[in-house]
Amino acid sequence: MSSKAVSFQAADFTHRLVSTPAGRVHLVEQGTGPLVLLVHGFPESWYSWRHQLPALAAAGYRAVAVDVRGYGRSSRPDGVDAYRMLELVADQAAVVEALGERSAVVVGHDWGATIAANCALVRPDVFRAVALLSVPYTPRGGPRPSEVFAQMGGDEEFYVSYFQEPGRAEAEIEPDVRGWLAGFYAALSGDTMPAPGTPDPHFVTRGGTLRDRFPSGPLPAWLGESDLDVYAEEFERTGLTGALNRYRNMDRDWEDLAAYDGAPIPQPSLFVGGARDASTTWLSDAIDAYPVTLPGLMSSHLLDDCGHWIQQERPAEINQLLTGWLASLPAGILDRVAG
């Protein structure tokens, strides 16, 4: 591992496969105590939580990081609609049950934050508290998502729209998975992202690719060569379709979740974002709305000079914030989690 990457202990990690509606979910766990479920985003895996698993275990929790449906050793159903949000929520609830628990605290990053928020929204009986990293909670509402994304960028195309067409992004990424991932991670990292005023890597020129705007310098400080190998080897084996299918269900989610239009999440919550992350700057209004949308919010933090990959860029700070928040949860929350 690169000397710049934070070391971690993998010896105590336990890998398991559990049955879920998708067929199986691969998970990695460490520790004993109340269950804390960790849900990753795009394009990552359980490995993005490698620094949190031992820290949570040392603090007295049963920390479990999953490979989301479509990733890693978890099942990858063929149908695009198998990756809709309600299916992913059902997977997380099934993981809790398969682990012999009745409830859990759920923590998510990037798409995992959106999955975690919807777990809390749809299954409050199972998910008693929720922590969101990088991507703020934005209640369902407004126009159809594909219509919103199509209007962004003017003469350029927003990356979400680019990802929504089956096969298109795969054709860009899969000939050089490792190189593409290195560029994508660097483009959204606080220490390597393009300078202000340069072309935004979230947009694609007509007829171009996302990679055209990725930085070509060194890896981010948080990403050692061996870390990049872990991610690249998984996606070289599985391809990117399962991961990208999450983007291809946003209109289905909008339809499926109509009953939750504008709904707040009342459970105890935590938000942590990177001050240099587009997710927090573009969605600053969503953060401002937390008194209404997250009435159970216990604390909210923006980390200076931090980009999108927050639990890997700032593992010590995230570990401190997570364990402090867990320790301060209202009486009874963790007792019910321990089930």
Side-chain angles (χ1 to χ4, degrees):
M1 181 177 292
S2 165
S3 61
K4 296 188 296 182
V6 179
S7 63
F8 70 100
Q9 297 295 323
D12 295 328
F13 289 174
T14 299
H15 292 254
R16 298 176 60 180
L17 293 171
V18 301
S19 296
T20 69
R24 67 179 184 277
V25 160
H26 169 244
L27 58 85
V28 179
E29 66 176 306
Q30 187 173 6
T32 58
L35 177 60
V36 180
L37 189 66
L38 305 168
V39 188
H40 68 81
F42 176 90
E44 301 174 280
S45 71
W46 75 267
Y47 188 76
S48 68
W49 300 106
R50 62 195 177 279
H51 305 300
Q52 284 67 53
L53 287 164
L56 291 169
Y61 301 98
R62 183 183 188 183
V64 174
V66 300
D67 277 339
V68 173
R69 178 186 298 215
Y71 287 81
R73 291 169 57 193
S74 293
S75 291
R76 299 187 302 280
D78 290 334
V80 173
D81 63 350
Y83 297 84
R84 65 208 310 157
M85 183 57 66
L86 289 179
E87 296 278 359
L88 302 182
V89 169
D91 283 347
Q92 309 320 310
V95 166
V96 174
E97 181 178 359
L99 292 173
E101 305 282 358
R102 292 183 300 184
S103 55
V105 171
V106 60
V107 181
H109 169 256
D110 182 76
W111 264 121
T114 305
I115 295 169
N118 281 283
C119 283
L121 188 69
V122 176
R123 293 298 307 272
D125 57 317
V126 175
F127 300 101
R128 305 292 298 167
V130 57
L132 310 177
L133 305 186
S134 296
V135 175
Y137 174 56
T138 54
R140 187 266 185 207
R144 186 176 294 272
S146 60
E147 297 173 359
V148 175
F149 300 133
Q151 295 172 5
M152 298 177 64
D155 292 335
E156 298 178 337
E157 185 177 15
F158 192 45
Y159 80 100
V160 175
S161 297
Y162 182 76
F163 283 167
Q164 285 181 330
E165 181 181 338
R168 187 178 175 197
E170 289 93 326
E172 173 187 344
I173 302 169
E174 290 179 357
D176 178 20
V177 169
R178 193 178 192 278
W180 192 92
L181 289 175
F184 191 73
Y185 295 146
L188 305 185
S189 294
D191 59 338
T192 52
M193 64 176 55
T198 57
D200 191 333
H202 294 89
F203 293 88
V204 182
T205 57
R206 300 295 173 179
T209 65
L210 274 175
R211 189 171 187 165
D212 295 338
R213 295 184 174 179
F214 291 170
S216 58
L219 293 177
W222 62 268
L223 184 68
E225 295 286 350
S226 61
D227 300 319
L228 180 58
D229 286 341
V230 171
Y231 289 122
E233 287 168 6
E234 284 290 77
F235 286 114
E236 286 169 351
R237 181 176 61 82
T238 65
L240 271 292
T241 296
L244 289 162
N245 278 344
R246 175 82 291 273
Y247 293 91
R248 296 162 185 166
N249 278 279
M250 297 178 77
D251 282 353
R252 290 187 181 91
D253 298 340
W254 182 79
E255 295 169 354
D256 289 345
L257 297 168
Y260 298 93
D261 193 82
I265 294 174
Q267 292 98 313
S269 57
L270 167 73
F271 176 75
V272 189
R276 300 197 66 196
D277 185 3
S279 297
T280 58
T281 55
W282 290 348
L283 296 174
S284 60
D285 288 349
I287 296 174
D288 292 342
Y290 279 167
V292 173
T293 61
L294 291 179
L297 184 69
M298 298 174 66
S299 62
S300 179
H301 310 266
L302 287 180
L303 304 186
D304 291 339
D305 299 319
C306 186
H308 184 67
W309 317 106
I310 190 166
Q311 77 270 33
Q312 298 176 90
E313 292 187 51
R314 300 288 185 82
E317 290 171 77
I318 293 300
N319 292 347
Q320 183 178 23
L321 289 170
L322 283 176
T323 55
W325 172 69
L326 288 164
S328 65
L329 286 173
I333 293 291
L334 292 179
D335 292 340
R336 296 187 67 177
V337 169

